[in-house]
Amino acid sequence: MAKVTIQGYEGSFHQEAARKFFGKTVEVIPCATFREVVKIGANKKESDGAVMAIENSIAGSILANYNLLQKSNLKVVGEVYLHIKQNLLVNHGVKLEDIKEVHSHTMALQQCYDFLDKYKWKLVETEDTALSAKHIAQHKSKHIAAIASKLAGELYNLHLIAPAIQTMKNNYTRFLILQREDMAPSIQDANKASVNFVTDHSKGSLARVLTTIAEGGVNLSKLQSFPIPGSDFKYSFHADMEFDSMAQFQNVIEAIKPATVTLKIYGIYKNGKSDK
C-alpha cells in the first residue's frame, strides 16, 4: 500500500488526486505546506512519494511549486487532472433554512459566490476546506455548513445538501505524482515529459529550441519561464512535452542540447488528460 504526502487535511482535493492515481487504499500524510510535502515525500523512511498541485485551469500555475520541484530530487512519475467540484456540506438533519454560517477556505468561498449570494449567510474564511468539514462534524453544528470535496463529506459523515455549487463548472487542477529516483518506475507507454532548461545567451537561442521541438513533432503543452536568482534577468524554462514515442522525445532532447546551457528531465510519464 502506497503512503504519500499531500498538502492539507484528509478529505482535501489532494487526497482525491492521490486516490485517483494510487487507488482508494492509498495512505496519505497530511502536510501544512507544499515545502513539507516535498521534504517528507523525499524521505524514504517516512513516505513513498508526494502528490502536489502544480496548476489550475482558472488560477493558472502555482509558481512556488515549480521552484520546489526544481530544488528537489523527486521525479515526476505521473499526473492527475481532477475536476474541482465544491459542495455544501452539513450535519444530517440540517436544512438550508437552518444555515446561518458557511465556513471554508477563501478560494473555495470565492469559487461559489454566485450560489452563496442567493442567501444571507455569514461567510467565514478558514485555512482549509476539509478542516472546515471536520470541524462542523466534530462540533455537530446545526447552523453551520462547510464547502468542501465530496470525499470530505464521506470521511466526516456529512450530508451533501447542495452539490457542485462552484460558479465555473469547468474547473480542473493538475497534480504531479512525485517519487524518489530509486522508486520511480520505468513507465510503459510514456507519452509526456517535464523538462527544465536554460538556453545559451546567443541571439534567438530560445526560438531555436522551440523550433527544434516543433520540427521534431513534439507538442509543447506548457512553457513557463522563471528568473534565475542572482542573475541579470536570465531565465530558466519549464517545458511539458507530449510525444508519440520515446525515440521521438530522445531525438528532440539531443537536438536541443547544443542551444542549452543546462537541461534536466524531471520525469517521463503518461499523460493524465485521458483520465479526466
Side-chain angles (χ1 to χ4, degrees):
M1 184 174 69
K3 185 178 181 182
V4 296
T5 56
I6 60 166
Q7 192 275 327
Y9 295 80
E10 287 196 66
S12 68
F13 291 109
H14 271 80
Q15 186 174 8
E16 280 199 0
R19 284 186 167 199
K20 194 171 177 183
F21 190 85
F22 292 102
K24 287 189 176 180
T25 59
V26 65
E27 187 180 340
V28 294
I29 304 167
C31 299
T33 64
F34 284 115
R35 192 173 176 181
E36 196 181 342
V37 166
V38 169
K39 186 179 178 184
I40 297 172
N43 187 330
K44 64 181 176 184
K45 292 180 181 176
E46 295 185 70
S47 79
D48 299 317
V51 177
M52 182 172 75
I54 200 73
E55 61 181 319
N56 176 265
S57 59
I58 296 169
S61 297
I62 307 173
L63 298 182
N65 288 1
Y66 281 98
N67 290 328
L68 287 172
L69 176 62
Q70 190 172 14
K71 290 173 185 173
S72 80
N73 291 318
L74 292 168
K75 303 291 284 184
V76 182
V77 299
E79 63 177 3
V80 169
Y81 286 82
L82 190 68
H83 193 184
I84 303 300
K85 294 180 182 177
Q86 302 288 6
N87 306 282
L88 192 68
L89 306 172
V90 294
N91 280 296
H92 290 275
V94 175
K95 298 182 179 66
L96 276 174
E97 54 267 30
D98 299 327
I99 298 171
K100 293 178 180 174
E101 292 182 10
V102 177
H103 294 199
S104 197
H105 188 274
T106 180
M107 287 300 293
L109 292 171
Q110 287 173 30
Q111 288 171 7
C112 302
Y113 277 158
D114 279 10
F115 175 85
L116 296 171
D117 284 348
K118 298 173 189 173
Y119 303 92
K120 290 184 165 55
W121 298 329
K122 180 183 177 184
L123 306 181
V124 179
E125 295 180 3
T126 64
E127 63 177 291
D128 187 82
T129 54
L131 186 62
S132 302
K134 185 178 182 180
H135 280 169
I136 70 164
Q138 283 179 333
H139 297 123
K140 297 182 171 53
S141 308
K142 289 186 169 57
H143 302 290
I144 302 174
I147 294 175
S149 69
K150 185 180 176 184
L151 177 61
E154 291 169 3
L155 290 178
Y156 302 120
N157 190 29
L158 295 170
H159 172 53
L160 199 162
I161 196 168
I165 62 170
Q166 73 278 2
T167 303
M168 299 286 287
K169 301 305 178 190
N170 194 30
N171 180 7
Y172 285 87
T173 295
R174 178 181 172 224
F175 297 83
L176 295 181
I177 311 300
L178 307 171
Q179 291 189 301
R180 295 184 309 279
E181 196 154 4
D182 62 324
M183 282 196 72
S186 178
I187 293 155
Q188 299 299 314
D189 305 322
N191 56 5
K192 190 170 183 179
S194 291
V195 176
N196 182 274
F197 63 87
V198 177
T199 59
D200 64 33
H201 303 296
S202 59
K203 192 174 180 180
S205 57
L206 177 60
R208 284 199 304 277
V209 168
L210 300 183
T211 300
T212 302
I213 293 169
E215 287 176 347
V218 168
N219 179 44
L220 196 65
S221 59
K222 187 171 186 70
L223 183 68
Q224 184 81 49
S225 63
F226 298 92
I228 299 170
S231 71
D232 186 14
F233 295 103
K234 292 174 183 174
Y235 292 84
S236 70
F237 298 91
H238 176 101
D240 287 336
M241 301 181 187
E242 297 174 343
F243 47 86
D244 298 320
S245 70
M246 280 300 298
Q248 183 188 42
F249 169 68
Q250 286 163 349
N251 287 340
V252 163
I253 290 296
E254 288 305 314
I256 66 173
K257 275 183 180 176
T260 63
V261 177
T262 63
L263 191 149
K264 181 181 179 182
I265 298 172
Y266 289 141
I268 302 169
Y269 51 98
K270 208 164 181 179
N271 189 325
K273 279 185 182 173
S274 59
D275 299 331
K276 276 190 185 183

